[in-house]
Amino acid sequence: MSLTQERLKLLLDYDPQTGHFTWKTRTVKTHFDVIWNKRFSGKRAGHSHKMGYIVLCVERAKIMAHQAAWAYQSGDMPAGDIDHVNGIKSDNRICNLRVATRSQNMANTSRRSSNTSGFKGVTMDRRTGRYIAAVHPNGKKRHLGVFDTAEAAHDAYVAGALKYYGEFARAS
């Protein structure tokens, strides 16, 4: 059985101002429902995933809280990704969520921890010691130029990111 908006609303409450889910009280049919209500009813649902997202376990299925929030509010899951506007993976307020392509979602990520240039979208050519700026819209690499300083390459990246990603561009 696929998790529907109707089923989510039957089991959970969602607060669009905080982005938090809480468990609803279940109708008592067996003693297990009584135990469940004492343990979970009215309490916050979900747990932190190692990547920073909130995960809900609903009817033995795991669903990301941002996907559940979108389905809870809109009624369906979009064909693309759900992007966190501010980049905070645990912030599931509906005003912080938007539909995105995979490319747009990746454009809205922060600088990787393995980045050695100190700037997103900038790598250093070890042979020449110069800096290369590039973006990757729709999985295709767009070379933006080679520069003497990391700062100049980053400026080119920012301009390219705005051109190719628009509102999804994140400079750092």
Side-chain angles (χ1 to χ4, degrees):
M1 169 172 55
S2 147
L3 205 53
T4 63
Q5 179 190 40
E6 180 183 15
R7 192 73 182 142
L8 279 172
K9 288 187 173 189
L10 183 68
L11 300 171
L12 296 160
D13 279 320
Y14 171 69
D15 182 353
Q17 301 301 315
T18 64
H20 298 158
F21 283 93
T22 53
W23 293 108
K24 286 187 173 180
T25 302
R26 291 185 178 179
T27 304
V28 177
K29 295 177 186 168
T30 69
H31 75 283
F32 293 112
D33 293 324
V34 173
I35 293 168
W36 192 95
N37 285 338
K38 285 182 182 178
R39 187 169 179 198
F40 297 108
S41 179
K43 293 187 179 162
R44 197 157 152 198
H47 65 276
S48 242
H49 183 272
K50 65 182 176 182
M51 297 293 290
Y53 295 102
I54 303 297
V55 179
L56 303 170
C57 294
V58 182
E59 296 184 330
R60 297 183 182 171
K62 291 183 179 179
I63 183 171
M64 301 298 239
H66 58 279
Q67 294 172 329
W70 192 267
Y72 197 97
Q73 292 295 102
S74 71
D76 62 344
M77 285 303 298
D81 289 357
I82 303 294
D83 180 49
H84 292 84
V85 176
N86 66 7
I88 300 171
K89 298 172 184 177
S90 61
D91 184 356
N92 295 310
R93 294 173 297 136
I94 199 67
C95 65
N96 186 47
L97 303 176
R98 61 185 169 187
V99 177
T101 65
R102 175 56 49 115
S103 181
Q104 290 169 326
N105 200 0
M106 296 306 294
N108 191 30
T109 60
S110 59
R111 179 175 53 92
R112 298 176 73 120
S113 61
S114 61
N115 180 301
T116 56
S117 71
F119 296 97
K120 183 176 178 184
V122 177
T123 57
M124 186 177 83
D125 182 346
R126 291 181 186 216
R127 292 178 298 126
T128 63
R130 298 182 77 202
Y131 295 89
I132 302 166
V135 293
H136 297 83
N138 300 317
K140 291 184 177 182
K141 184 175 183 178
R142 302 282 182 180
H143 181 75
L144 301 172
V146 180
F147 304 88
D148 292 328
T149 66
E151 291 81 6
H154 180 64
D155 291 342
Y157 169 78
V158 170
L162 288 171
K163 175 182 176 184
Y164 288 104
Y165 304 129
E167 67 179 301
F168 291 89
R170 180 178 294 267
S172 57

